[in-house]
Amino acid sequence: MQKTIAKTLPGFMELLPEEQVLFNQMRKTIQETYEKFGFLPIDTPIIESTEVLLAKAGGETEKQLYSFTKGDSNLTLRFDLTVPLAKYVALHSNEISFPFRRYQIGKVYRGERAQRGRFREFYQCDIDVIGDGELNIINDAEIPSIIYEIFRKLGLDNFCIKINNRKILNGLYESIDAKEVSESIMRTIDKIEKIGIEKVKEELRELSLSEENIEKIIKFITIKGTTDDKLKELQNLNIKNETYLEGMQELKKVIEYIRLFNVPEDYFSIDTSIARGLDYYTGTVYETFLNDYKSIGSICSGGRYNNLSEYYTDKKFPGVGMSIGLTRLFFILNDIGLIKSNKKSISEVLIVSMISDISSAIEIANKLRQANINTEIYFDDKKIKAKFKYADKLKIPYVIVIGENEIKTGKLTLKNMKTGEQKECDLEEIINKLHN
Amino acid sequence: MQKTIAKTLPGFMELLPEEQVLFNQMRKTIQETYEKFGFLPIDTPIIESTEVLLAKAGGETEKQLYSFTKGDSNLTLRFDLTVPLAKYVALHSNEISFPFRRYQIGKVYRGERAQRGRFREFYQCDIDVIGDGELNIINDAEIPSIIYEIFRKLGLDNFCIKINNRKILNGLYESIDAKEVSESIMRTIDKIEKIGIEKVKEELRELSLSEENIEKIIKFITIKGTTDDKLKELQNLNIKNETYLEGMQELKKVIEYIRLFNVPEDYFSIDTSIARGLDYYTGTVYETFLNDYKSIGSICSGGRYNNLSEYYTDKKFPGVGMSIGLTRLFFILNDIGLIKSNKKSISEVLIVSMISDISSAIEIANKLRQANINTEIYFDDKKIKAKFKYADKLKIPYVIVIGENEIKTGKLTLKNMKTGEQKECDLEEIINKLHN
């Protein structure tokens, strides 16, 4: 028979089981933390009508879409979880309770240029709080506390959540009459970590800004010191613009509450160079960096927006949220060795039988499973060495051996696969041990 | 601004959060049971190369495919989790340990005719045990014990796992020289529950079978009595065909071991009319029915196959597995009222503040979350009645009220939203109560 070559498409992550276990652990940590903060799950289709997904058309994304027709329908695979949320809220606004705290973890699709560490199918893990008409600013401070808790639980301890507010950026540009070029300015200063101050100045000159105003911008984006120093300096810039002052009020409040939410001072900071996309966010914005690996870019970003569902409804739904790109994050953490190498198996114990009658093994497995212990029986008629090798490869921590002797005495041999230690135990002892 | 109509495509399930919580609970029960039996997770892409997915082409499925091109690539959304598994095993056979016990829970796509209860995007929850060259028959008996445990845990108690073996079917047809029409016979007898015996006979006559052989077939598919009666009767048919005898040996062994795996007699039975698809399965086959709702069809099916990856490799990988169509199952159980109406919220407690300073509320939330209690704070400045209504709608079981009095005394008011009972407690009491 002519064989087809088994292959997986480039840009699509497909893990071996032992890595998948680690991936799923990360996913579970994220999900459990979202639930701990009272977020409700939703699960929207991966395929949506193209018209619905592209209600807000344009931009880079459109080129990357997976779009196709089926019958009379123009269909597109979702490229993020925000547009589906906007649709969901517009569609179900009469049936959901506001403020609507929702999380969604699911795959999204972008036909990016294939290169190492870039994925065309990847998991996003999003939370958003959506208000009906209005939404309290304290929500903007709770989000960073969730980011903090997740990354600590994922075993990271050298990261920083950078916080800014789009209103102080916009206010600054309004105050120097540079509102029309504000997007270009933001795009430029967004690159400061990459290209440095001098290159930023050069690009700003190309926007026909005066040297004075360029200095003002540079001063603004390079303020230093503690968070309180920065708040003071931003105040002292003495910018008498309403938007700026409103942004300052919000930023101060967000900082005040982040502290109340117990995020330690080392794990957040004000960063006035962060703009975060260009037309979506309207207030608080966040990015999260690994201090030792800044070149990776932000590993968790988000912010406040005025009007989630404006392309579908006249109702106003302001919101604040953040997103973790789990597939890329897993790839990166694995790559730089920050995922604990302490690989865990699914099975807690493997039962191997030295005798051909396997009924005792099944009986014991029944009891262990009743006690909620993940248990596997090795059924195949292999040499004992092969059975131990299997447990070893799968990193199953314990093996129970059943032989004629065990049947006679009613005691079981429990082997610790890590230490090699063997012990005669009865089943109850084993259950107690494995429950720890 | 011109608005786009927010809509979800027909045939795509999109639940409200309170239903999503129930759906996710079912999914979690299935996943945890798979892990309890030592199955390892994998997660393959939703998009595969069309060539790979259609290595084994043809059949009904092909018309239903979501296929499209992107650049030079012909792509297709997976329509099941079995073909991706066949690819995965062929591709990674040198890196995985056999027997390979894997589970996968994910969405698959079939462009079925839109009708109530039929979905174009749906979750499948699959387990399979794959052997390298050979696979012990006891695996065929463990699968029903997993089906049994899952459905009991999902709160169902009136269901039956029907078991058959393709070899006894094939052996029977060989013995009456009807091998060439065996697929047509199986397709006919598969319908016996729907169309009745007489209609089955009629259709068999159309296949030019002698009356004697038709009687033999009817006798075979209508054997009655206990499982042991049936085994005896099948023996007594006195069919001297090697395939038949091999199938009988397997069936007997599977029944023997199902009992050892503690599946009660009421929850499984031999059903010789079940054939389960036509060219994939080669031995044991299962279907699972709700006794009170047989017209729904099988809610969990599977079986043994000889050669999982034959379209990709010359290596032989026999396997046995089963699949639960979760989306349809959820829809059905919800529809007939078999999902426990005991709706659970994500948040265990909502904190509402009667005073404008919300810092005490945050402090308490921090402590509850540290104690792993899912906690939400109501931030918006609404009337107390609106805050309670929110808790009520979301079915949050407890509300903690913080007012001036609570700040003064250090005691908190805990309201049980079900009974309406209010109690003054300190935080430790609340944590203990909510941990139960």
Side-chain angles (χ1 to χ4, degrees), chain A residues 1 3-9 12-17 20-21 24 27 35-49 51-52 55 63-66 68 70 75 77 87-88 90-92 95-101 103 107 109 111 121 123 134-136 138-139 142 257 260-262 310-314 346-347 358-359 362 366 369-370 372-380 382 390 393-394, chain B residues 1-9 12-17 20-21 24 27 35-49 51-52 55 63-66 68 70 75 77 87-88 90-92 95-101 103 107 109 111 121 123 134-136 138-139 142 257 260-262 310-314 346-347 358-359 362 366 369-370 372-380 382 390 393-394:
Chain A
M1 190 172 71
K3 306 290 176 190
T4 303
I5 293 166
K7 62 166 196 249
T8 300
L9 293 166
F12 288 72
M13 182 182 271
E14 185 171 85
L15 301 170
L16 288 172
Q20 192 66 51
V21 171
N24 290 6
R27 181 184 160 155
E35 295 196 349
K36 204 202 272 187
F37 283 80
F39 286 79
L40 297 169
I42 70 168
D43 183 13
T44 64
I46 283 175
I47 306 177
E48 299 267 10
S49 150
E51 195 193 352
V52 166
K63 282 182 242 157
Q64 303 180 344
L65 296 181
Y66 286 88
F68 54 98
K70 172 101 186 151
L75 306 176
L77 305 188
K87 179 213 75 175
Y88 186 94
L91 187 56
H92 303 292
E95 302 152 288
I96 53 185
S97 302
F98 292 93
F100 179 42
R101 297 163 76 85
Y103 75 84
K107 287 177 169 178
Y109 296 83
E121 174 186 72
Y123 278 95
E134 53 178 15
L135 184 72
N136 196 304
I138 304 174
N139 289 289
E142 194 182 32
Y257 281 98
L260 281 172
F261 278 111
N262 277 349
E310 59 180 329
Y311 298 96
Y312 309 110
T313 174
D314 286 324
I346 292 290
S347 289
I358 208 146
S359 54
I362 293 178
N366 291 339
R369 287 167 180 164
Q370 262 164 38
N372 267 323
I373 291 166
N374 294 356
T375 306
E376 198 176 332
I377 310 167
Y378 198 97
F379 296 126
D380 280 2
K382 291 268 169 72
Y390 175 84
K393 270 186 98 176
L394 263 65
Chain B
M1 189 172 74
Q2 180 74 28
K3 304 290 177 191
T4 303
I5 294 167
K7 62 165 196 249
T8 300
L9 292 166
F12 287 72
M13 183 182 269
E14 185 172 83
L15 300 170
L16 289 172
Q20 192 66 52
V21 171
N24 290 6
R27 181 183 160 157
E35 295 195 348
K36 202 200 276 188
F37 282 81
F39 286 79
L40 296 170
I42 71 167
D43 183 14
T44 64
I46 284 175
I47 307 177
E48 299 268 10
S49 150
E51 194 193 352
V52 167
K63 284 183 237 157
Q64 302 180 345
L65 295 180
Y66 285 88
F68 55 96
K70 173 105 184 146
L75 306 176
L77 306 188
K87 178 212 76 175
Y88 186 94
L91 188 57
H92 303 293
E95 301 153 289
I96 54 186
S97 302
F98 292 93
F100 178 41
R101 299 163 74 85
Y103 76 84
K107 287 177 169 178
Y109 295 82
E121 175 186 71
Y123 279 94
E134 53 179 13
L135 186 71
N136 197 305
I138 306 176
N139 289 288
E142 193 181 35
Y257 280 98
L260 282 172
F261 277 113
N262 276 350
E310 59 180 327
Y311 298 97
Y312 309 109
T313 174
D314 286 325
I346 292 289
S347 289
I358 208 147
S359 53
I362 293 177
N366 290 340
R369 286 165 180 164
Q370 263 163 38
N372 265 325
I373 291 166
N374 294 357
T375 305
E376 197 176 335
I377 311 168
Y378 197 98
F379 296 126
D380 278 3
K382 290 271 170 69
Y390 174 84
K393 271 185 97 175
L394 263 65

Side-chain angles (χ1 to χ4, degrees), chain A residues 226-319:
Chain A
T226 66
T227 298
D228 290 323
D229 291 346
K230 286 178 186 167
L231 282 174
K232 217 174 289 167
E233 268 205 64
L234 289 172
Q235 208 83 309
N236 292 345
L237 288 180
N238 218 0
I239 296 169
K240 301 259 179 288
N241 170 284
E242 223 173 282
T243 312
Y244 187 85
L245 296 175
E246 203 183 310
M248 281 304 298
Q249 282 308 314
E250 289 185 6
L251 186 58
K252 268 196 261 176
K253 199 140 192 184
V254 167
I255 297 297
E256 177 192 344
Y257 281 98
I258 284 179
R259 287 170 171 154
L260 281 172
F261 278 111
N262 277 349
V263 182
E265 215 68 21
D266 281 355
Y267 291 90
F268 70 92
S269 75
I270 293 174
D271 187 331
T272 45
S273 73
I274 281 173
R276 203 62 234 131
L278 290 164
D279 55 356
Y280 183 58
Y281 294 106
T282 52
T284 310
V285 285
Y286 330 96
E287 295 194 340
T288 311
F289 294 88
L290 297 173
N291 296 334
D292 298 328
Y293 305 92
K294 282 191 185 145
S295 63
I296 288 166
S298 172
I299 55 169
C300 172
S301 312
R304 157 78 74 149
Y305 41 88
N306 262 344
N307 205 348
L308 175 70
S309 303
E310 59 180 329
Y311 298 96
Y312 309 110
T313 174
D314 286 324
K315 290 190 198 160
K316 208 180 156 199
F317 297 110

